Amino acid sequence: MIKRIGVLTSGGDSPGMNAAIRAVTRSALAQGIEVYGIHDGYKGIIDENIEKMESRSVSDIMVRGGTILGSARLPEFRDREVLQRAVDILHKYEIDALVTIGGDGTYRGALALTQLGINCIGLPGTIDNDIACTDYTIGFDTALNTIIQAVDKLRDTSSSHHRCSVVEVMGNHCGDLALYAGISSGAELIITPEEGYVEQEVLEKMRLMDEKRKKRHAIIILSEKITDAEILASKISKHTSFSGRSTVLGHVQRGGSPTAFDRVLATRMGDKAVELLANDQGGQCVGIIGNDIVAFPIAEALDMSKKSRKYLHDLHERLV
Ligand code: F6P
């Protein structure tokens, strides 16, 4: 039976991470398992930035965005020596197992530690929704709502000026934030890595919206890392009668109080992580499929491909 676990958040922060820390801490304490919070991701193990958590340590954090434990990316965490040092430090603190909250980089660290004898459970904490073994990641819903609020405001002003707003959203190499934001804000066009980008086709579609559909304004939701939003907006100004404007939403998408959906998701997942560790299971990551909280071996999860979203793209195009 495990006596002591650690919890950490790693990679880009996401709203709902605090709700997950709270659930892990309180579920573990309720089962008589001690909890240590590790600051700044895997780096906090190496730096021994580790503190004992009590029930009070997680009071009032559910509503807060970001992560009270801090987060960091540590690329060296792949090196055998660094990993072994982490294992030695965890042994020194008598930490038997870990809950690691983050994206796929975090999962790789969790898998490596598990292979070295420290059972780890990964929780999907990222706004990108780019983890294949779960329908939703913790933070995606909140980021989506932040994007929609911004796009609704942009729509007000762009409709007053016969403008086309190109709104760049995050997602890393996953188009889910763009796709869901585009559908829920009634955008005229959604550009994602999955569906690809052909500049001429985009300009043609905007000419159609302008000349044939006589739209007063248009919104394009563009996934990051595909093309430059400002250049696209200026081409739209040149090739259509819309005046193109670009907005890069940036890190505002990662902040803010988590939505009820993310709080409940994080709470359920945090509790599941403790249940798995208490049953001596490691090297697993938690997901939600339908409304069920499930677990997959991390190695398997990292190899899975995301389900196609083509039907959602098609649905959007039919309704524009
Ligand atoms: O993975 C989360 C994410 O916000 C991505 O959407 C984005 O590409 C990246 O992190 C930004 O990273 P950073 O905060 O290091 O600029």
Side-chain angles (χ1 to χ4, degrees):
M1 176 67 187
I2 52 164
K3 292 202 178 77
R4 191 175 282 182
I5 63 169
V7 57
L8 62 82
T9 49
S10 164
D13 64 348
S14 72
M17 280 183 160
N18 283 328
I21 295 167
R22 175 181 178 274
V24 168
T25 304
R26 291 202 171 158
S27 291
L29 292 176
Q31 297 186 48
I33 301 169
E34 288 181 345
V35 183
Y36 278 71
I38 297 166
H39 291 270
D40 301 333
Y42 293 115
K43 186 171 174 295
I45 306 178
I46 305 298
D47 297 346
E48 300 190 36
N49 196 351
I50 298 172
E51 67 165 322
K52 189 162 194 269
M53 306 282 275
E54 308 292 351
S55 188
R56 274 193 327 277
S57 318
V58 293
S59 295
D60 299 330
I61 67 168
M62 171 88 89
V63 301
R64 287 165 57 188
T67 157
I68 58 157
L69 292 176
S71 192
R73 293 189 169 100
L74 184 66
E76 309 86 279
F77 207 65
R78 291 193 190 105
D79 303 350
R80 183 82 198 181
E81 277 161 39
V82 180
L83 280 164
Q84 192 52 55
R85 187 158 153 64
V87 170
D88 294 344
I89 292 167
L90 291 169
H91 283 153
K92 177 172 135 190
Y93 282 79
E94 294 178 9
I95 293 174
D96 308 311
L98 279 184
V99 179
T100 65
I101 309 165
D104 51 4
T106 308
Y107 281 13
R108 276 181 244 283
L111 182 58
L113 284 178
T114 303
Q115 285 161 349
L116 291 172
I118 305 283
N119 270 349
C120 292
I121 300 295
L123 298 188
T126 166
I127 64 166
D128 297 334
N129 213 38
D130 59 350
I131 296 180
C133 70
T134 184
D135 289 345
Y136 298 107
T137 55
I138 298 165
F140 173 69
D141 185 65
T142 307
L144 190 54
N145 280 282
T146 302
I147 295 170
I148 291 162
Q149 281 177 19
V151 173
D152 288 349
K153 288 175 183 158
L154 284 168
R155 184 175 289 285
D156 290 343
T157 165
S158 73
S159 67
S160 310
H161 293 275
H162 193 63
R163 278 184 179 159
C164 171
S165 276
V166 179
V167 188
E168 186 194 286
V169 301
M170 282 185 168
N172 201 10
H173 298 289
C174 173
D176 280 13
L177 276 175
L179 180 59
Y180 282 70
I183 291 172
S184 48
S185 62
E188 275 62 32
L189 192 68
I190 303 170
I191 303 172
T192 63
E194 292 83 358
E195 293 300 304
Y197 171 67
V198 180
E199 188 184 276
Q200 275 316 312
E201 282 176 15
V202 170
L203 295 175
E204 196 47 52
K205 280 183 181 158
M206 285 305 109
R207 265 198 297 270
L208 184 82
M209 297 292 165
D210 174 25
E211 291 161 19
K212 294 223 171 73
R213 305 278 303 275
K214 306 276 179 231
K215 293 229 178 197
R216 273 201 59 74
H217 66 103
I219 303 278
I220 298 179
I221 308 287
L222 165 69
S223 265
E224 66 177 350
K225 304 180 185 179
I226 293 181
T227 191
D228 186 292
E230 200 178 333
I231 294 175
L232 177 58
S234 73
K235 290 200 172 157
I236 287 168
S237 297
K238 199 164 155 211
H239 295 283
T240 73
S241 72
F242 286 126
S243 170
R245 290 287 190 280
S246 63
T247 303
V248 176
L249 288 181
H251 287 83
V252 292
Q253 295 163 95
R254 290 234 299 257
S257 180
T259 58
F261 181 88
D262 276 329
R263 296 180 199 191
V264 174
L265 181 67
T267 301
R268 293 179 69 193
M269 288 181 163
D271 183 57
K272 177 75 177 178
V274 173
E275 180 195 308
L276 290 164
L277 290 178
N279 287 321
D280 208 23
Q281 294 193 46
Q284 308 266 316
C285 54
V286 175
I288 185 166
I289 306 279
N291 196 25
D292 294 329
I293 301 293
V294 292
F296 293 92
I298 294 178
E300 214 176 276
L302 288 171
D303 267 354
M304 289 182 191
S305 333
K306 271 192 73 93
K307 280 198 199 127
S308 165
R309 304 283 193 233
K310 180 131 190 18
Y311 78 101
L312 281 176
H313 272 277
D314 292 348
L315 170 64
H316 169 259
E317 292 217 329
R318 272 192 279 125
L319 301 186
V320 169

